[in-house]
Amino acid sequence: MLGGLEWRQHTPHASRAVVIINAATSVRCCYYTRFAEYLFSHGMDVMLFDYRGIGASRTGSLRGFKASWSDWGSLDFEALLKRAQRQYPGQPIDVVGHSFGGCAAGLAASGAVIRRVVTVGAQFACWRDYAPAQRWQMVTKWHAVMPLLTGLCGYFPGKRLGWLEDTPAGVVKDWVTFGTRFEQLPSARHLGALPFASVKAKTLAISLSDDPFGTVAAIERLLSHFSASSRTHLRISPEDIGVTEIGHFAFFHNRFHDSLWPIALQWLQTGALAIDVPGSIQYPL
């Protein structure tokens, strides 16, 4: 049973979008509450959920608990897509995916029902794509220390370290694999053909220039999996909106209510960017 949160308008309407927000790896869905309320205030129905083993979807010890990135996408996100179709029949389904959450959007068998996608810093932690200035520090932290502690504890005790929520060992195993394609990750090898290409949604990938995970190479590596989608990559620097930093997580902070959130809203509403959108378009495909 997956736990989560939901914002539902009083009366159904066939033209109203229902938006599913996919969290980053081991980030509780409540982190995105204010952004969800923002979308709801602009007339959308919104669904948040925690992946199995995380937050409201955790039922006990993670020692020996079976979960992987592929499970989070092919099982958990798929369950949300099916629930959205049941609860909001006939309404368009859109997705916002943060970090791994953008990858999860391509792992569900029902992905063809998605109308529009907005991703933020979305990638699957290929070490080669980490920002050069921080690469070896990140490799040490995430590809050496994290699996070492996971081996000792049977799961990654991220909450005690202040890094992440506690994380299932199978997710860590996927993260630390030195593969350059998602299908090379341990959990994906058992899935057969991946459903990325079934997603035909208009996709906006937002990346931030000071995000050490979301480099241009990382964003476009993931976008290459969505081969049947029209894809636009918008890269934003802090100075484009008059701030000193944004990084990997802060897009969803309330302080960007008036500067960054309208970009995602506009795409979800229209499938297009405003003429005066901050940042630079890396490419439309």
Side-chain angles (χ1 to χ4, degrees), residues 63-78:
R63 187 182 295 273
F65 183 80
K66 303 298 183 184
S68 67
W69 268 346
S70 294
D71 291 334
W72 285 357
S74 65
L75 300 179
D76 298 350
F77 175 56
E78 170 70 7

Side-chain angles (χ1 to χ4, degrees), residues 56 68 81 90-91 93 100 118 125 129 178 189 235 237:
S68 67
L81 280 180
Q91 292 182 221
I93 299 174
F100 167 76
V118 174
D129 297 334
F178 288 93
R189 296 170 191 162
R235 190 154 181 84
S237 297

Side-chain angles (χ1 to χ4, degrees), residues 188-207:
R189 296 170 191 162
H190 308 293
L191 292 180
L194 298 179
F196 284 100
S198 68
V199 179
K200 299 177 175 63
K202 292 195 70 174
T203 298
L204 171 65
I206 299 172
S207 68

Side-chain angles (χ1 to χ4, degrees), residues 91-164:
Q91 292 182 221
I93 299 174
D94 296 339
V95 176
V96 174
H98 179 210
S99 194
F100 167 76
C103 190
L107 293 173
S110 301
V113 305
I114 304 171
R115 180 186 64 165
R116 293 174 188 144
V117 173
V118 174
T119 67
V120 178
Q123 33 64 48
F124 52 90
C126 175
W127 71 275
R128 295 183 183 181
D129 297 334
Y130 295 156
Q134 295 104 321
R135 181 174 297 151
W136 295 112
Q137 178 183 356
M138 293 172 70
V139 167
T140 299
K141 179 177 180 177
W142 300 115
H143 297 263
V145 176
M146 182 167 65
L148 175 62
L149 291 177
T150 300
L152 292 172
C153 299
Y155 67 96
F156 178 59
K159 194 168 185 177
R160 276 178 278 173
L161 296 172
W163 291 7
L164 300 166

Side-chain angles (χ1 to χ4, degrees), residues 19-37:
V19 182
I20 300 171
I21 300 178
N22 290 346
T25 295
S26 300
V27 175
R28 298 184 68 151
C29 72
C30 58
Y31 179 77
Y32 306 92
T33 297
R34 290 183 179 177
F35 181 71
E37 291 172 344

